[in-house]
Amino acid sequence: MKVISTNIAQPTKFLWNGEEVTTGIYKKPTDVPIYLGKDEVRGDEVSDRKVHGGEFKAGYLFSSNHYPYWQELYPHLDWTYGMLGENLTIEDLDEKQLFIGDIYKLGKALVQITQPREPCFKFAYKFGSESVLQQFIDHGYSGTYIRVLEEGNVKTGDSFNLVERSKDSVSIFHFFELLYAKNKNMDHIRLVLDNDALPLSLKKRLKFFLQ
């Protein structure tokens, strides 16, 4: 797996239900390395820190392999890498092979797989369709957020290599499925509750289903 695009955003404003909203979802490719910091990608817009940025969402990765699927659904959009809101577009990234807690070497940085991306109204606005939210969930390939264990630069052409596999974990693909499933897989919930790569808020949300 390797990085084929590094992407950052400038703040973009739009009106939503009569209120002005700022977003960092409009990411564009950059021709210079990006720096993965502990809480954010340096120079990248993080507008709502309740749901983006921070220790467990310091950066967002998405696979270039999924682009044809979305381009076919929305051919009228202006397609560049970063379109799905990712900081790093990675060739052959496979959510079924990424497990929560896995540690990877990414350029000069050391990162840990944390959680899938859950689509929001800003994603729908960018695509010009409310339907894209359910399409994203149904497709199942969410990309992944990362925790940055060691900060560093990442550039186009850098490799994304597994350093340590998480034990007794769940893949990002199956965890994303778990979040939206009506009938939750209790075994999967129990597996992730002790995983320190997940934020406490998400663990609490899932623990509710064990009661």
Side-chain angles (χ1 to χ4, degrees):
M1 294 179 285
K2 69 176 182 178
V3 177
I4 62 172
S5 186
T6 57
N7 317 299
I8 60 172
Q10 298 301 314
T12 300
K13 299 181 184 297
F14 66 91
L15 287 177
W16 184 262
N17 294 332
E19 294 186 9
E20 188 176 75
V21 175
T22 303
T23 181
I25 199 172
Y26 287 87
K27 301 199 190 305
K28 298 291 185 184
T30 176
D31 57 2
V32 297
I34 61 174
Y35 187 84
L36 301 186
K38 288 293 180 74
D39 294 315
E40 63 185 6
V41 175
R42 185 180 292 170
D44 185 44
E45 170 67 16
V46 180
S47 300
D48 187 348
R49 292 186 178 270
K50 294 178 183 178
V51 293
H52 296 291
E55 179 184 2
F56 297 97
K57 292 183 176 180
Y60 176 52
L61 318 182
F62 195 79
S63 178
S64 61
N65 299 47
H66 304 324
Y67 264 73
Y69 172 83
W70 292 107
Q71 287 172 307
E72 185 174 344
L73 283 178
Y74 295 92
H76 61 286
L77 298 180
D78 183 16
W79 283 94
T80 61
Y81 289 127
M83 188 66 183
L84 276 293
E86 76 273 18
N87 298 109
L88 292 163
T89 315
I90 298 184
E91 188 177 54
D92 296 329
L93 188 78
D94 184 354
E95 289 87 340
K96 291 182 178 179
Q97 300 301 319
L98 297 175
F99 290 81
I100 295 167
D102 284 354
I103 297 174
Y104 281 81
K105 186 68 176 175
L106 180 54
K108 299 296 184 182
L110 190 69
V111 304
Q112 186 174 45
I113 303 301
T114 57
Q115 63 195 93
R117 187 251 189 84
E118 298 176 67
C120 69
F121 74 95
K122 294 178 181 178
F123 186 69
Y125 180 85
K126 183 178 183 181
F127 275 72
S129 169
E130 290 290 326
S131 299
V132 74
L133 300 179
Q134 192 60 50
Q135 289 167 342
F136 190 85
I137 293 166
D138 291 343
H139 190 228
Y141 293 94
S142 61
T144 185
Y145 285 108
I146 54 171
R147 170 197 264 176
V148 176
L149 304 179
E150 294 179 8
E151 298 184 359
N153 281 318
V154 182
K155 66 182 185 304
T156 300
D158 280 346
S159 296
F160 182 62
N161 293 324
L162 180 66
V163 173
E164 183 180 333
R165 177 71 78 192
S166 180
K167 296 179 181 178
D168 299 322
S169 189
V170 175
S171 73
I172 286 292
F173 182 88
H174 288 111
F175 188 76
F176 186 61
E177 190 176 59
L178 177 69
L179 291 176
Y180 293 98
K182 290 183 179 179
N183 297 313
K184 305 290 187 189
N185 185 319
M186 298 303 163
D187 290 336
H188 283 178
I189 292 177
R190 291 186 184 95
L191 275 177
V192 298
L193 287 182
D194 292 327
N195 197 317
D196 68 0
L198 276 182
L200 183 60
S201 59
L202 198 47
K203 291 180 183 180
K204 286 182 176 179
R205 176 174 151 192
L206 291 170
K207 193 173 182 179
F208 169 83
F209 295 98
L210 294 179
Q211 299 175 0

